[in-house]
Amino acid sequence: MSIATEVRQLGRHDGASVTVRGWVQTTRTHGKVAFVVVRDGTGIVQCVVVQKQVPPAAWELCGALTQESSVAVTGSVRADARAPGGYELAVQDLVLIGPSAEYPIQPKEHGVDFLLDNRHLWLRSSQQRAIMRVRNEVEQAIHDFFYQREFVRIDTPILTAAIGEGGAGLFEVDYFDERAYLTQTGQLYAEAAAAALGKVYCFGPTFRAEKSKTRRHLTEFWMVEPEVAWNDSADNMRLQEDFVSYIVERALARCRDELAILERDTAPLERVAPPFPRIEYAEAIRVLQARGHEIEWGADLGAPDETVLASDYDRPLFVMNYPREAKAFYMKENPADPRTVLCDDLLAPEGYGEIIGGSQREDDYDRLLRRIRAENLPEAAYGWYLDLRRYGTFPHSGFGLGVERTVAWITGRPHIRELIPFPRMLTRIYP
Ligand code: NSS
């Protein structure tokens, strides 16, 4: 009898007979010996098949196996220092589970559109698997960080009538007789929950009908949004730098192998620790103008502006207190300069751009109502949100971190489409 096991666990069964199930990566035959490399999702193992040690059917199968066929291999575990996980299998039997005909992804360079069309299969390749493991670690680190600090996770709705981030970029949905949208942010609901529970966060998919094709925009992306009662903008930024440092530290500690597969130079990540540098928006504009960027006070920063600003620093950079017009309606007026709001964008180093947008929230009923009207937002949909300012208003702040942009930075991948299992973009809804 053999023991069913995962490749990752082979070391526990040294000398024993085991069965591993997985997909064939490569096969090679040298006379009466064949080498079949099998991947099972937990690792990769080389299976050594000697003709006279296996049933004739197994030997015949060896010669016919194609890339990505699924198989069950039974063999004895043998330590081999040169093998990927330190062990190989001396095969006793080999059974075909599912044949694979003309697998489209070959071990050669393919164009990215072809790979994206075959995303359901591309996920099986080594770099894509490494990316998904880093993403998983980042998501787990997000939950662990907030759980350790006793935040309560709040699941906010995906269908909503309240526009979070502005009219452009909304996906409209027929909601019986009403107009609804796919949510752009869970924040407004997290604010309500902060008055109930103090420290909360939501984590989920968010939607933006982004008409632009850029390296940084998806139409569906995942965001984590903490919201904290009594935090002001300065507290908010301290939470952000602790949070981002924790995530990076976790990826470095637990995804060494994956970052190596992705050939990520980890030296810049090792430097990520609080405090992060902070500059005012007005200062950012002066710096950009001095470097010849055509940008005037009042405009939001573009990707090239962010890259230039961040390149002066070896850690993520906070840009604070943008003009009101450049930002969403809910941000609190800055008492020191009412043309601006108490907010921050966190720019990742090495040109990866904005990974966080955060702010203190407008907690004054009248000012908030004026902003809703000035932005032509459907006032009726915000009655409940205004109520938060009518029944015990409170200073509070929060932020949103984009998971894909953060994982792009950590893994060193230039384009956001690779950081989510099934990307949704302007021209892509398949697979
Ligand atoms: O629009 S944000 O700047 N801010 C919010 O949505 C706030 N409601 C967050 C909050 O305070 N609770 O988006 C936050 C982050 C941004 O920094 C990016 O990292 C990411 O969300 N983001 C995106 N990632 C991928 N694709 C697109 N289109 C995208 N838009 C924002």
Side-chain angles (χ1 to χ4, degrees):
M1 265 304 280
S2 65
I3 310 158
T5 187
E6 295 180 333
V7 170
R8 194 205 320 254
Q9 308 283 9
L10 285 178
R12 293 198 188 170
H13 304 290
D14 195 5
S17 180
V18 301
T19 297
V20 163
R21 284 165 299 180
W23 292 262
V24 172
Q25 295 215 147
T26 57
T27 55
R28 239 166 355 111
T29 307
H30 286 294
K32 297 182 183 325
V33 185
F35 300 91
V36 181
V37 176
V38 173
R39 178 194 81 245
D40 80 339
T42 74
I44 291 169
V45 62
Q46 170 162 277
C47 307
V48 183
V49 191
V50 178
Q51 184 177 6
K52 63 177 190 296
Q53 290 169 4
V54 295
W59 178 252
E60 214 168 283
L61 176 60
C62 256
L65 275 181
T66 50
Q67 191 188 345
E68 293 302 315
S69 298
S70 51
V71 291
V73 193
T74 302
S76 63
V77 180
R78 190 156 75 187
D80 178 5
R82 290 160 308 170
Y87 295 89
E88 61 177 24
L89 280 186
V91 176
Q92 294 148 350
D93 202 1
L94 175 67
V95 176
L96 181 65
I97 296 173
S100 163
E102 290 171 56
Y103 190 66
I105 301 179
Q106 295 296 313
K108 62 162 195 180
E109 288 287 312
H110 287 287
V112 74
D113 279 326
F114 175 83
L115 290 170
L116 285 169
D117 286 343
N118 288 285
R119 182 61 169 167
H120 49 299
L121 303 175
W122 187 24
L123 280 176
R124 300 183 190 188
S125 50
S126 65
Q127 292 204 327
Q128 298 306 311
R129 284 183 284 123
I131 287 172
M132 291 308 137
R133 285 194 186 281
V134 177
R135 182 184 167 108
N136 175 58
E137 188 61 35
V138 165
E139 292 191 343
Q140 192 59 49
I142 286 169
H143 295 303
D144 291 347
F145 178 89
F146 289 119
Y147 192 79
Q148 283 161 17
R149 281 164 184 72
E150 298 181 344
F151 281 61
V152 177
R153 179 176 175 181
I154 290 289
D155 298 320
T156 51
I158 285 171
L159 290 167
T160 176
I163 300 165
E165 296 296 325
L170 278 169
F171 283 111
E172 232 178 276
V173 183
D174 279 335
Y175 194 75
F176 309 108
D177 294 330
E178 284 188 68
R179 182 179 300 181
Y181 310 100
L182 296 182
T183 191
Q184 298 173 312
T185 167
Q187 175 199 321
L188 308 189
Y189 298 95
E191 286 183 55
L197 293 150
K199 295 185 291 190
V200 300
Y201 74 103
C202 59
F203 183 87
T206 45
F207 305 86
R208 309 257 167 116
E210 304 278 5
K211 291 261 166 58
S212 52
K213 280 194 193 170
T214 79
R215 296 188 293 117
R216 295 179 182 176
H217 290 91
L218 295 164
T219 54
E220 177 178 306
F221 64 98
W222 287 67
M223 182 157 54
V224 53
E225 298 182 87
E227 193 68 35
V228 183
W230 318 116
N231 263 10
D232 65 14
S233 192
D235 300 326
N236 196 31
M237 283 186 275
R238 279 192 292 273
L239 183 63
Q240 289 166 53
E241 62 195 1
D242 287 348
F243 178 53
V244 168
S245 302
Y246 178 81
I247 293 173
V248 170
E249 206 179 285
R250 275 279 295 266
L252 285 172
R254 306 192 52 164
C255 296
R256 281 276 163 207
D257 293 349
E258 287 76 14
L259 295 173
I261 289 169
L262 297 166
E263 295 171 14
R264 175 62 160 122
D265 172 10
T266 54
L269 297 176
E270 313 273 358
R271 287 192 286 269
V272 176
F276 297 168
R278 290 155 164 73
I279 61 169
E280 292 271 342
Y281 168 86
E283 169 67 11
I285 295 299
R286 280 194 292 276
V287 170
L288 290 168
Q289 286 174 342
R291 307 241 173 113
H293 286 228
E294 290 198 3
I295 187 165
E296 296 298 330
W297 194 98
D300 204 357
L301 304 181
D305 304 319
E306 292 177 352
T307 300
V308 162
L309 289 171
S311 68
D312 287 344
Y313 303 90
D314 66 355
R315 298 165 195 227
L317 168 69
F318 285 117
V319 181
M320 299 158 25
N321 305 340
Y322 285 62
R324 183 181 26 227
E325 288 69 28
K327 291 293 176 189
F329 75 96
Y330 51 70
M331 296 187 182
K332 187 175 174 61
E333 186 174 293
N334 180 4
D337 178 357
R339 297 174 308 158
T340 65
V341 286
L342 294 172
C343 70
D344 67 88
D345 280 0
L346 184 65
L347 312 183
E350 304 171 78
Y352 288 94
E354 180 203 319
I355 55 171
I356 286 183
S359 65
Q360 188 164 343
R361 317 310 189 184
E362 184 55 79
D363 48 21
D364 180 87
Y365 181 93
D366 295 321
R367 278 204 202 106
L368 184 60
L369 184 57
R370 275 204 298 277
R371 294 291 300 139
I372 288 172
R373 288 181 176 157
E375 302 261 330
N376 280 322
L377 291 167
E379 203 175 312
Y382 294 90
W384 67 270
Y385 186 63
L386 285 159
D387 270 358
L388 306 177
R389 282 74 182 166
R390 291 176 68 209
Y391 302 109
T393 194
F394 59 117
H396 60 290
S397 302
F399 62 88
L401 171 134
V403 169
E404 291 76 18
R405 289 202 194 165
T406 303
V407 183
W409 165 46
I410 292 175
T411 55
R413 305 305 273 192
H415 201 299
I416 197 167
R417 63 193 164 207
E418 273 184 73
L419 291 313
I420 186 163
F422 294 96
R424 297 291 175 246
M425 293 175 290
L426 182 56
T427 56
R428 184 164 293 282
I429 190 82
Y430 178 93

